[in-house]
Coordinates of all heavy atoms in Angstrom, one line a residue:
M1 N 75.2 150.2 130.8 CA 75.5 151.7 131.4 C 75.1 152.8 130.4 O 75.3 152.6 129.2 CB 77.1 151.7 131.6 CG 77.5 151.0 132.9 SD 77.0 151.8 134.4 CE 77.9 153.3 134.5
D2 N 74.5 153.8 131.0 CA 74.1 154.9 130.1 C 75.4 155.6 129.7 O 76.4 155.8 130.5 CB 73.2 155.9 131.0 CG 71.9 155.3 131.1 OD1 71.6 154.4 130.5 OD2 71.3 155.8 132.0
S3 N 75.5 156.1 128.5 CA 76.6 156.9 128.2 C 76.1 158.3 127.8 O 75.4 158.5 126.9 CB 77.2 156.2 126.9 OG 78.3 157.1 126.4
Y4 N 76.6 159.3 128.6 CA 76.3 160.6 128.4 C 77.3 161.4 127.6 O 78.5 161.2 127.8 CB 76.0 161.3 129.8 CG 74.6 161.0 130.3 CD1 74.4 159.8 131.0 CD2 73.6 161.9 130.3 CE1 73.2 159.5 131.5 CE2 72.3 161.6 130.8 CZ 72.2 160.4 131.4 OH 70.9 160.1 131.9
V5 N 76.8 162.3 126.8 CA 77.7 163.1 126.1 C 77.4 164.6 126.3 O 76.2 164.9 126.6 CB 77.7 162.9 124.5 CG1 78.2 161.4 124.3 CG2 76.3 163.0 124.0
E6 N 78.3 165.5 126.1 CA 78.0 166.9 126.3 C 77.3 167.5 125.1 O 77.7 167.3 124.0 CB 79.3 167.6 126.5 CG 79.2 169.1 126.7 CD 80.5 169.9 127.0 OE1 81.3 169.3 127.8 OE2 80.7 170.9 126.3
L7 N 76.2 168.0 125.5 CA 75.4 168.6 124.5 C 75.6 170.2 124.3 O 75.7 170.7 123.2 CB 73.8 168.5 124.8 CG 72.9 169.2 123.9 CD1 72.9 168.4 122.6 CD2 71.6 169.3 124.5
Y8 N 75.9 170.8 125.5 CA 75.8 172.3 125.4 C 76.6 172.8 126.7 O 76.5 172.2 127.8 CB 74.3 172.7 125.3 CG 74.3 174.2 125.3 CD1 74.6 174.9 124.1 CD2 73.6 175.0 126.3 CE1 74.4 176.2 124.0 CE2 73.4 176.3 126.2 CZ 73.8 177.0 125.0 OH 73.8 178.3 124.9
R9 N 77.2 174.0 126.6 CA 77.7 174.7 127.7 C 76.9 175.9 127.9 O 76.8 176.7 127.0 CB 79.2 175.1 127.5 CG 80.1 173.8 127.7 CD 81.5 174.2 127.5 NE 82.3 173.0 127.4 CZ 83.4 172.7 128.0 NH1 84.0 173.7 128.7 NH2 84.0 171.6 127.9
A10 N 76.3 176.0 129.0 CA 75.3 177.2 129.3 C 76.2 178.2 129.9 O 77.1 178.0 130.7 CB 74.2 176.7 130.1
A11 N 75.8 179.5 129.7 CA 76.4 180.6 130.3 C 76.2 180.8 131.8 O 77.0 181.2 132.5 CB 75.8 181.9 129.6
N12 N 75.0 180.2 132.3 CA 74.7 180.2 133.7 C 73.6 179.2 134.0 O 73.0 178.6 133.1 CB 74.2 181.6 134.1 CG 73.1 182.1 133.3 OD1 72.1 181.4 133.3 ND2 73.3 183.2 132.6
M13 N 73.3 179.0 135.2 CA 72.4 178.1 135.8 C 71.0 178.3 135.2 O 70.3 177.4 135.0 CB 72.5 178.0 137.2 CG 72.1 176.7 137.8 SD 72.8 175.4 137.2 CE 74.4 175.4 138.0
I14 N 70.6 179.6 135.1 CA 69.3 179.9 134.6 C 69.1 179.4 133.3 O 68.0 178.7 133.0 CB 69.0 181.5 134.7 CG1 69.2 181.9 136.2 CG2 67.6 181.8 134.1 CD1 69.4 183.4 136.4
E15 N 70.0 179.7 132.4 CA 70.0 179.2 131.0 C 69.9 177.7 131.0 O 69.2 177.0 130.2 CB 71.1 179.8 130.3 CG 71.0 179.4 128.7 CD 72.2 179.6 127.9 OE1 73.3 180.0 128.5 OE2 72.2 179.6 126.7
A16 N 70.8 177.1 131.8 CA 70.9 175.6 131.8 C 69.5 175.0 132.2 O 69.1 174.0 131.6 CB 72.0 175.2 132.8
H17 N 68.9 175.6 133.2 CA 67.6 175.0 133.6 C 66.5 175.2 132.7 O 65.6 174.4 132.6 CB 67.3 175.3 135.2 CG 68.2 174.5 136.1 ND1 67.7 173.3 136.5 CD2 69.3 174.8 136.7 CE1 68.7 172.8 137.5 NE2 69.6 173.7 137.5
A18 N 66.5 176.2 132.0 CA 65.5 176.7 131.1 C 65.6 175.6 129.9 O 64.6 175.0 129.5 CB 65.7 178.0 130.5
L19 N 66.8 175.3 129.5 CA 67.0 174.4 128.4 C 66.8 172.9 128.9 O 66.1 172.2 128.1 CB 68.4 174.5 127.9 CG 68.8 173.8 126.6 CD1 67.9 174.2 125.5 CD2 70.2 174.1 126.2
K20 N 67.1 172.6 130.0 CA 66.9 171.2 130.6 C 65.4 171.0 130.6 O 64.9 170.0 130.2 CB 67.4 171.2 132.1 CG 67.1 169.9 132.8 CD 67.8 169.9 134.1 CE 67.9 168.5 134.8 NZ 66.7 168.2 135.5
G21 N 64.6 172.0 131.1 CA 63.1 171.8 131.1 C 62.6 171.7 129.8 O 61.7 170.8 129.5
Y22 N 63.1 172.5 128.8 CA 62.6 172.3 127.4 C 62.9 170.9 126.9 O 61.9 170.3 126.3 CB 63.3 173.4 126.5 CG 62.9 173.3 125.1 CD1 61.7 173.8 124.6 CD2 63.8 172.7 124.2 CE1 61.4 173.8 123.4 CE2 63.4 172.7 122.9 CZ 62.2 173.2 122.4 OH 61.9 173.1 121.0
L23 N 64.1 170.4 127.0 CA 64.4 169.1 126.6 C 63.6 168.0 127.2 O 63.1 167.1 126.7 CB 65.9 168.9 126.7 CG 66.7 169.6 125.8 CD1 68.2 169.5 126.1 CD2 66.6 169.2 124.3
E24 N 63.4 168.1 128.5 CA 62.7 167.1 129.3 C 61.1 167.1 128.8 O 60.6 166.1 128.8 CB 62.9 167.3 130.7 CG 64.2 166.9 131.1 CD 64.5 166.9 132.6 OE1 63.8 167.5 133.3 OE2 65.6 166.4 133.1
Q25 N 60.7 168.3 128.6 CA 59.3 168.3 128.0 C 59.2 167.5 126.7 O 58.1 167.0 126.3 CB 58.9 169.7 127.7 CG 58.3 170.6 128.9 CD 58.1 172.1 128.4 OE1 58.1 172.4 127.3 NE2 58.1 172.9 129.4
N26 N 60.3 167.4 126.0 CA 60.4 166.6 124.8 C 60.8 165.3 124.9 O 61.2 164.6 124.0 CB 61.2 167.4 123.7 CG 60.5 168.6 123.3 OD1 59.6 168.6 122.4 ND2 60.8 169.8 123.8
G27 N 60.9 164.8 126.1 CA 61.2 163.4 126.5 C 62.7 163.0 126.5 O 63.0 161.9 126.5
I28 N 63.5 164.1 126.7 CA 65.0 163.7 126.7 C 65.5 164.1 128.1 O 65.3 165.2 128.6 CB 65.7 164.6 125.6 CG1 65.3 164.0 124.3 CG2 67.2 164.5 125.9 CD1 66.0 164.7 123.2
M29 N 66.1 163.0 128.8 CA 66.6 163.3 130.2 C 68.0 164.0 130.0 O 68.8 163.8 129.1 CB 66.8 161.9 130.8 CG 65.6 161.2 131.2 SD 64.5 162.3 132.1 CE 65.3 162.4 133.6
V30 N 68.1 165.0 130.9 CA 69.3 165.9 130.8 C 70.0 165.8 132.2 O 69.3 165.8 133.3 CB 68.8 167.3 130.5 CG1 70.1 168.1 130.5 CG2 68.1 167.3 129.2
R31 N 71.3 165.8 132.2 CA 72.0 165.9 133.4 C 72.7 167.3 133.3 O 73.2 167.6 132.3 CB 73.2 164.9 133.5 CG 72.6 163.5 134.0 CD 73.8 162.6 134.3 NE 73.3 161.2 134.6 CZ 74.1 160.2 134.7 NH1 75.4 160.4 134.5 NH2 73.6 159.0 134.9
V32 N 72.6 168.0 134.5 CA 73.3 169.3 134.4 C 74.5 169.1 135.4 O 74.4 168.7 136.5 CB 72.4 170.4 135.1 CG1 73.1 171.7 135.2 CG2 71.2 170.6 134.2
L33 N 75.7 169.4 134.8 CA 76.9 169.3 135.5 C 77.4 170.8 135.9 O 77.4 171.7 135.1 CB 78.1 168.7 134.7 CG 78.1 167.2 134.6 CD1 79.3 166.7 133.9 CD2 77.9 166.5 135.8
G34 N 77.8 170.9 137.1 CA 78.4 172.2 137.4 C 77.8 172.8 138.8 O 78.3 173.6 139.4
E35 N 76.6 172.5 138.9 CA 75.9 173.0 140.1 C 76.4 172.6 141.4 O 76.2 173.2 142.4 CB 74.3 172.9 139.9 CG 73.9 171.5 139.8 CD 72.4 171.5 139.4 OE1 71.7 172.5 139.6 OE2 72.0 170.4 138.9
A36 N 77.0 171.4 141.5 CA 77.5 170.9 142.7 C 78.9 171.4 143.0 O 79.5 171.1 144.1 CB 77.5 169.3 142.7
L37 N 79.5 172.1 142.1 CA 80.9 172.4 142.3 C 81.2 173.3 143.5 O 82.2 173.4 144.0 CB 81.4 173.1 141.0 CG 81.7 172.2 139.8 CD1 82.1 173.0 138.6 CD2 82.8 171.3 140.1
G38 N 80.2 174.1 143.8 CA 80.4 175.2 144.7 C 80.6 174.7 146.1 O 81.1 175.4 147.0
G39 N 80.2 173.4 146.4 CA 80.3 172.9 147.8 C 81.5 173.3 148.6 O 81.3 173.9 149.7
A40 N 82.6 172.9 148.2 CA 83.8 173.2 149.1 C 84.3 174.6 148.8 O 85.1 175.1 149.7 CB 84.9 172.2 148.8
T41 N 84.2 175.1 147.7 CA 84.9 176.5 147.4 C 84.1 177.6 147.8 O 84.5 178.8 147.4 CB 85.2 176.4 145.9 OG1 84.0 176.2 145.1 CG2 86.2 175.4 145.6
G42 N 82.9 177.5 148.4 CA 82.1 178.7 148.8 C 81.2 179.1 147.6 O 81.0 178.4 146.7
E43 N 80.8 180.4 147.8 CA 79.7 180.8 146.8 C 80.4 181.5 145.7 O 81.0 182.5 145.8 CB 78.8 181.8 147.5 CG 78.0 180.9 148.6 CD 77.0 181.8 149.4 OE1 76.8 182.9 148.9 OE2 76.7 181.4 150.5
L44 N 80.3 180.9 144.5 CA 80.7 181.6 143.3 C 79.6 182.4 142.7 O 78.4 181.9 142.8 CB 81.1 180.5 142.4 CG 82.4 179.7 142.7 CD1 82.6 178.5 141.8 CD2 83.6 180.6 142.6
P45 N 79.9 183.5 142.1 CA 78.8 184.2 141.3 C 78.4 183.2 140.3 O 79.0 182.5 139.7 CB 79.5 185.4 140.7 CG 80.8 185.4 141.4 CD 81.1 184.1 142.0
V46 N 77.0 183.3 139.9 CA 76.4 182.3 139.0 C 77.1 182.5 137.6 O 77.3 181.5 137.0 CB 74.9 182.7 138.9 CG1 74.3 181.9 137.7 CG2 74.2 182.3 140.1
E47 N 77.5 183.7 137.3 CA 78.0 184.0 136.0 C 79.4 183.2 135.8 O 79.7 182.9 134.7 CB 78.3 185.4 135.7 CG 77.0 186.2 135.7 CD 76.5 186.6 137.1 OE1 77.3 186.5 138.1 OE2 75.3 186.7 137.3
S48 N 80.1 183.0 136.9 CA 81.5 182.3 136.7 C 81.4 180.8 136.7 O 82.4 180.2 136.4 CB 82.3 182.8 137.8 OG 82.0 182.1 139.1
Q49 N 80.3 180.3 136.8 CA 80.2 178.9 136.8 C 80.1 178.3 135.4 O 79.4 179.0 134.6 CB 79.0 178.3 137.6 CG 79.2 178.6 139.1 CD 78.1 178.0 139.9 OE1 77.3 177.2 139.4 NE2 78.0 178.4 141.1
E50 N 80.8 177.2 135.1 CA 80.5 176.6 133.9 C 79.4 175.5 134.1 O 79.7 174.7 134.9 CB 81.9 176.0 133.5 CG 81.8 175.2 132.1 CD 83.1 174.8 131.7 OE1 83.4 173.6 132.2 OE2 83.9 175.4 131.0
V51 N 78.5 175.6 133.3 CA 77.4 174.7 133.5 C 77.2 173.8 132.2 O 77.1 174.5 131.0 CB 76.0 175.4 133.7 CG1 75.0 174.4 134.0 CG2 76.2 176.3 134.8
R52 N 77.4 172.5 132.3 CA 77.3 171.7 131.1 C 76.1 170.8 131.1 O 75.7 170.2 132.2 CB 78.6 170.8 131.0 CG 79.8 171.7 130.9 CD 81.0 170.8 130.5 NE 81.3 169.9 131.6 CZ 82.0 168.8 131.5 NH1 82.4 168.4 130.2 NH2 82.2 168.0 132.4
L53 N 75.4 170.7 130.0 CA 74.3 169.9 129.8 C 74.7 168.6 129.1 O 75.3 168.6 128.1 CB 73.2 170.5 129.1 CG 72.2 171.4 129.9 CD1 72.8 172.6 130.5 CD2 71.1 171.8 129.0
L54 N 74.4 167.5 129.7 CA 74.7 166.2 129.2 C 73.4 165.5 128.8 O 72.5 165.5 129.6 CB 75.5 165.3 130.2 CG 76.8 165.9 130.8 CD1 77.5 164.8 131.5 CD2 77.7 166.5 129.8
V55 N 73.5 164.8 127.7 CA 72.4 164.0 127.3 C 72.9 162.5 126.9 O 74.0 162.4 126.6 CB 71.6 164.5 126.1 CG1 71.0 165.8 126.4 CG2 72.5 164.6 124.9
E56 N 71.9 161.6 127.0 CA 72.3 160.3 126.6 C 72.8 160.2 125.2 O 72.2 160.9 124.3 CB 71.2 159.3 126.8 CG 71.0 158.9 128.3 CD 69.8 157.9 128.4 OE1 70.1 156.7 128.3 OE2 68.8 158.4 128.6
Q57 N 73.8 159.4 124.9 CA 74.3 159.4 123.6 C 73.3 159.1 122.5 O 73.3 159.6 121.5 CB 75.5 158.4 123.6 CG 76.4 158.6 122.4 CD 77.8 157.9 122.5 OE1 77.9 157.0 123.3 NE2 78.7 158.5 121.8
C58 N 72.5 158.1 122.8 CA 71.4 157.7 121.9 C 70.4 158.7 121.5 O 69.7 158.8 120.6 CB 70.7 156.4 122.4 SG 69.9 156.6 123.9
H59 N 70.3 159.8 122.4 CA 69.4 160.9 122.0 C 70.1 162.1 121.6 O 69.5 163.2 121.4 CB 68.7 161.3 123.4 CG 67.7 160.2 123.8 ND1 67.4 160.0 125.2 CD2 67.1 159.3 123.2 CE1 66.6 159.0 125.3 NE2 66.3 158.6 124.0
Q60 N 71.4 162.0 121.3 CA 72.2 163.3 121.1 C 71.6 164.0 119.9 O 71.5 165.2 119.9 CB 73.7 162.8 120.8 CG 74.6 164.0 120.7 CD 76.0 163.6 120.5 OE1 76.3 162.6 120.1 NE2 77.0 164.6 120.6
S61 N 71.4 163.2 118.6 CA 71.1 164.0 117.5 C 69.7 164.7 117.7 O 69.5 165.8 117.3 CB 71.0 163.0 116.3 OG 70.2 161.9 116.5
R62 N 68.8 163.9 118.4 CA 67.5 164.6 118.6 C 67.6 165.8 119.6 O 66.9 166.9 119.3 CB 66.5 163.6 119.2 CG 65.0 164.0 119.2 CD 64.2 162.8 119.4 NE 63.3 163.0 120.6 CZ 62.2 163.7 120.7 NH1 61.9 164.5 119.7 NH2 61.6 163.9 121.8
A63 N 68.5 165.7 120.5 CA 68.7 166.8 121.5 C 69.2 167.9 120.8 O 68.9 169.2 121.0 CB 69.5 166.3 122.6
R64 N 70.1 167.7 119.8 CA 70.7 168.8 119.1 C 69.7 169.5 118.3 O 69.8 170.7 118.1 CB 71.9 168.3 118.2 CG 73.2 168.4 118.9 CD 74.4 168.1 118.1 NE 75.4 167.6 119.0 CZ 76.0 168.2 119.9 NH1 75.8 169.6 120.0 NH2 76.9 167.8 120.7
A65 N 68.9 168.8 117.6 CA 67.8 169.4 116.8 C 66.9 170.3 117.7 O 66.4 171.3 117.3 CB 67.1 168.3 116.2
L66 N 66.5 169.7 118.8 CA 65.7 170.5 119.7 C 66.4 171.7 120.2 O 65.8 172.8 120.3 CB 65.3 169.6 121.0 CG 64.2 168.6 120.7 CD1 64.2 167.5 121.8 CD2 62.8 169.2 120.5
L67 N 67.7 171.6 120.5 CA 68.4 172.7 120.9 C 68.5 173.8 119.8 O 68.3 175.0 120.2 CB 69.9 172.3 121.2 CG 70.9 173.4 121.6 CD1 70.5 174.1 122.9 CD2 72.3 172.8 121.7
N68 N 68.7 173.4 118.6 CA 68.6 174.4 117.5 C 67.3 175.1 117.4 O 67.2 176.3 117.2 CB 68.9 173.7 116.2 CG 70.3 173.4 116.0 OD1 71.2 174.0 116.6 ND2 70.6 172.4 115.0
R69 N 66.2 174.3 117.7 CA 64.9 174.9 117.5 C 64.7 175.9 118.7 O 64.1 177.0 118.5 CB 63.9 173.8 117.6 CG 62.5 174.3 117.0 CD 61.6 173.1 116.7 NE 61.0 172.7 117.9 CZ 60.4 171.5 118.1 NH1 60.4 170.7 117.2 NH2 59.9 171.2 119.2
Y70 N 65.1 175.6 119.8 CA 65.1 176.3 121.1 C 65.8 177.7 120.8 O 65.2 178.7 121.1 CB 65.7 175.6 122.2 CG 65.7 176.3 123.5 CD1 64.5 176.4 124.3 CD2 66.8 177.0 124.0 CE1 64.5 177.1 125.6 CE2 66.8 177.6 125.1 CZ 65.6 177.7 125.9 OH 65.7 178.3 127.2
Q71 N 66.9 177.6 120.2 CA 67.7 178.8 120.1 C 67.1 179.7 119.0 O 67.1 180.8 119.0 CB 69.2 178.4 119.7 CG 69.9 177.9 121.0 CD 71.3 177.5 120.7 OE1 71.6 176.9 119.6 NE2 72.2 177.7 121.6
Q72 N 66.6 179.0 117.9 CA 65.8 179.9 117.0 C 64.6 180.6 117.5 O 64.4 181.7 117.1 CB 65.4 178.9 115.8 CG 66.5 178.8 114.7 CD 66.1 177.7 113.7 OE1 65.0 177.3 113.6 NE2 67.1 177.3 112.9
D73 N 64.0 179.8 118.4 CA 62.8 180.5 119.0 C 63.2 181.7 119.7 O 62.5 182.7 119.8 CB 62.1 179.5 120.0 CG 61.4 178.4 119.3 OD1 61.2 178.5 118.1 OD2 60.9 177.5 119.9
L74 N 64.4 181.7 120.3 CA 64.8 182.9 121.1 C 65.5 183.9 120.2 O 65.7 185.1 120.8 CB 65.8 182.4 122.1 CG 65.2 181.6 123.2 CD1 66.3 181.2 124.3 CD2 64.1 182.3 124.0
A75 N 65.9 183.7 119.0 CA 66.6 184.5 118.2 C 65.8 185.6 117.8 O 64.6 185.6 117.5 CB 67.2 183.8 117.0
P76 N 66.3 187.0 117.8 CA 65.5 188.0 117.4 C 65.2 187.9 115.9 O 66.0 187.3 115.2 CB 66.4 189.3 117.7 CG 67.8 188.7 117.9 CD 67.7 187.2 118.2
W77 N 64.1 188.5 115.5 CA 63.7 188.5 114.1 C 63.3 189.9 113.6 O 62.9 190.7 114.4 CB 62.6 187.5 113.9 CG 61.4 187.7 114.6 CD1 61.2 187.3 115.9 CD2 60.2 188.5 114.2 NE1 59.9 187.7 116.4 CE2 59.3 188.4 115.3 CE3 59.8 189.1 113.1 CZ2 58.0 189.0 115.4 CZ3 58.5 189.7 113.1 CH2 57.7 189.6 114.2
Q78 N 63.7 190.1 112.4 CA 63.3 191.3 111.8 C 62.0 191.4 111.1 O 61.7 190.5 110.2 CB 64.4 191.9 110.8 CG 64.2 193.3 110.4 CD 65.4 193.8 109.6 OE1 66.1 193.0 109.0 NE2 65.7 195.0 109.6
C79 N 61.1 192.4 111.3 CA 59.9 192.6 110.7 C 59.9 192.9 109.3 O 60.6 193.9 109.0 CB 59.0 193.5 111.5 SG 57.4 193.8 110.7
A80 N 59.3 192.1 108.3 CA 59.5 192.4 106.9 C 58.6 193.6 106.6 O 58.9 194.2 105.5 CB 59.0 191.2 106.1
A81 N 57.7 194.0 107.4 CA 56.8 195.1 107.0 C 57.4 196.4 107.4 O 57.4 197.3 106.6 CB 55.5 194.8 107.7
C82 N 57.9 196.5 108.6 CA 58.4 197.8 109.1 C 59.9 197.8 109.4 O 60.4 198.9 109.7 CB 57.6 198.3 110.3 SG 57.9 197.4 111.8
G83 N 60.5 196.6 109.4 CA 62.0 196.6 109.6 C 62.3 196.6 111.0 O 63.5 196.7 111.4
E84 N 61.4 196.6 112.0 CA 61.7 196.5 113.5 C 62.3 195.2 113.8 O 62.0 194.1 113.4 CB 60.4 196.8 114.2 CG 60.6 197.0 115.7 CD 61.4 198.3 116.0 OE1 61.1 199.4 115.2 OE2 62.2 198.3 116.8
Q85 N 63.3 195.3 114.7 CA 63.9 194.1 115.4 C 63.0 193.7 116.5 O 62.7 194.5 117.5 CB 65.2 194.4 115.9 CG 66.3 194.4 114.9 CD 66.8 193.0 114.4 OE1 66.6 192.1 115.2 NE2 67.4 193.0 113.2
N86 N 62.6 192.4 116.6 CA 61.7 191.9 117.6 C 62.4 190.8 118.3 O 63.2 190.0 117.8 CB 60.4 191.4 117.0 CG 59.5 192.4 116.5 OD1 58.8 193.1 117.2 ND2 59.5 192.6 115.2
D87 N 62.2 190.7 119.6 CA 62.7 189.6 120.5 C 62.0 188.4 120.0 O 60.9 188.3 119.5 CB 62.4 189.8 122.0 CG 63.4 190.9 122.5 OD1 64.3 191.2 121.9 OD2 63.1 191.2 123.7
G88 N 62.7 187.2 120.2 CA 62.2 185.9 119.7 C 61.0 185.5 120.3 O 60.2 184.8 119.7
H89 N 60.6 186.0 121.5 CA 59.4 185.5 122.1 C 58.1 186.2 121.6 O 57.0 185.9 122.0 CB 59.6 185.5 123.6 CG 59.7 186.9 124.2 ND1 61.0 187.3 124.4 CD2 58.9 187.8 124.5 CE1 60.8 188.6 124.9 NE2 59.6 188.9 125.0
F90 N 58.3 187.3 120.8 CA 57.2 188.0 120.3 C 56.7 187.3 119.0 O 57.4 186.8 118.2 CB 57.6 189.4 119.8 CG 57.8 190.4 120.9 CD1 59.0 191.0 121.0 CD2 56.7 190.6 121.8 CE1 59.2 191.9 122.2 CE2 57.0 191.5 122.9 CZ 58.1 192.1 123.0
E91 N 55.4 186.9 119.0 CA 54.8 186.3 118.0 C 54.4 187.1 116.8 O 54.3 186.7 115.7 CB 53.7 185.4 118.4 CG 54.1 184.2 119.3 CD 53.0 183.4 119.8 OE1 51.8 183.6 119.3 OE2 53.3 182.4 120.6
V92 N 54.2 188.3 117.1 CA 53.9 189.4 116.0 C 54.8 190.6 116.3 O 55.3 190.8 117.5 CB 52.5 189.8 116.0 CG1 51.6 188.6 115.6 CG2 52.0 190.4 117.3
C93 N 55.0 191.3 115.4 CA 55.8 192.6 115.5 C 55.1 193.5 116.6 O 54.0 193.8 116.5 CB 55.9 193.3 114.1 SG 56.8 194.9 114.3
W94 N 56.1 193.9 117.6 CA 55.5 194.7 118.6 C 55.1 196.2 118.1 O 54.2 196.8 118.7 CB 56.4 194.8 119.8 CG 57.7 195.5 119.5 CD1 58.9 195.1 119.0 CD2 57.9 197.0 119.6 NE1 59.8 196.1 118.8 CE2 59.2 197.2 119.1 CE3 57.1 198.0 120.0 CZ2 59.8 198.5 119.2 CZ3 57.7 199.4 120.0 CH2 59.0 199.5 119.5
R95 N 55.6 196.5 117.0 CA 55.4 197.9 116.5 C 54.3 197.9 115.5 O 53.3 198.8 115.8 CB 56.7 198.4 115.7 CG 56.4 199.8 115.2 CD 57.6 200.3 114.3 NE 58.5 201.1 115.0 CZ 59.6 201.7 114.5 NH1 59.8 201.4 113.3 NH2 60.3 202.4 115.2
C96 N 54.1 197.0 114.6 CA 53.1 197.1 113.6 C 52.1 195.9 113.6 O 51.1 195.9 112.9 CB 53.7 197.3 112.2 SG 54.4 195.8 111.4
G97 N 52.4 194.8 114.3 CA 51.5 193.7 114.5 C 51.6 192.7 113.3 O 50.8 191.7 113.2
A98 N 52.5 192.9 112.4 CA 52.7 192.0 111.4 C 53.4 190.6 111.9 O 54.0 190.6 112.9 CB 53.6 192.5 110.3
E99 N 53.0 189.5 111.2 CA 53.5 188.3 111.6 C 54.9 188.0 110.9 O 55.0 188.5 109.8 CB 52.6 187.1 111.4 CG 51.4 187.1 112.1 CD 50.5 185.9 111.9 OE1 51.0 185.0 111.1 OE2 49.4 186.0 112.3
P100 N 55.8 187.3 111.5 CA 57.2 187.1 111.0 C 56.9 186.2 109.6 O 55.9 185.3 109.7 CB 58.0 186.4 111.9 CG 57.0 185.9 112.9 CD 55.8 186.8 112.9
E101 N 57.7 186.3 108.6 CA 57.7 185.4 107.5 C 58.1 184.0 107.8 O 59.1 183.9 108.5 CB 58.4 186.0 106.3 CG 57.8 187.3 105.8 CD 58.5 187.7 104.5 OE1 59.7 187.4 104.4 OE2 58.0 188.6 103.9
A102 N 57.4 183.0 107.5 CA 57.8 181.7 107.8 C 59.1 181.3 107.2 O 59.5 181.7 106.2 CB 56.8 180.7 107.4
Ligands
ZN1 ZN1 56.6 195.5 112.0

């Protein structure tokens, strides 16, 4: 039997599926819990749902490492050249074009 453990609680379904896609690209199967809850109770706003991502226990440590990298990729960074705050998806500073320090 597969043994699944909770990896992460997402704020909403959009975040959950973005992360699920990222992990699956890296070869880790993910189960998303929470999306089926609405069946009997009607339509809940997406924000109020608790969405949990589960991974197989044997992949847990690798999944956590990927999760950290994913979150770092999204984290804002500060330009060393001009001090501007940049969103994580910018590869160079939007203001002055400098690259972030490694
Ligand atoms: Zn800059």
Side-chain angles (χ1 to χ4, degrees):
M1 284 291 290
D2 292 343
S3 177
Y4 277 79
V5 295
E6 182 176 312
L7 176 71
Y8 184 66
R9 288 182 189 221
N12 57 55
M13 201 52 76
I14 295 164
E15 184 190 14
H17 278 276
L19 189 53
K20 179 177 190 280
Y22 177 77
L23 289 170
E24 288 184 347
Q25 274 173 19
N26 286 279
I28 293 178
M29 292 305 296
V30 178
R31 281 189 189 170
V32 178
L33 285 189
E35 55 194 340
L37 285 177
T41 52
E43 294 177 21
L44 294 167
V46 171
E47 296 79 22
S48 76
Q49 291 183 18
E50 181 180 86
V51 188
R52 296 192 296 156
L53 269 67
L54 307 187
V55 297
E56 282 181 84
Q57 196 161 25
C58 60
H59 290 149
Q60 186 182 12
S61 58
R62 192 165 120 76
R64 267 187 209 290
L66 286 165
L67 176 64
N68 284 341
R69 201 168 77 197
Y70 178 82
Q71 289 177 324
Q72 272 173 14
D73 285 350
L74 291 182
W77 55 277
Q78 187 171 26
C79 177
C82 74
E84 189 63 41
Q85 283 280 338
N86 290 281
D87 284 349
H89 62 267
F90 287 124
E91 291 181 2
V92 298
C93 177
W94 67 268
R95 179 188 260 184
C96 74
E99 292 184 11
E101 293 183 338

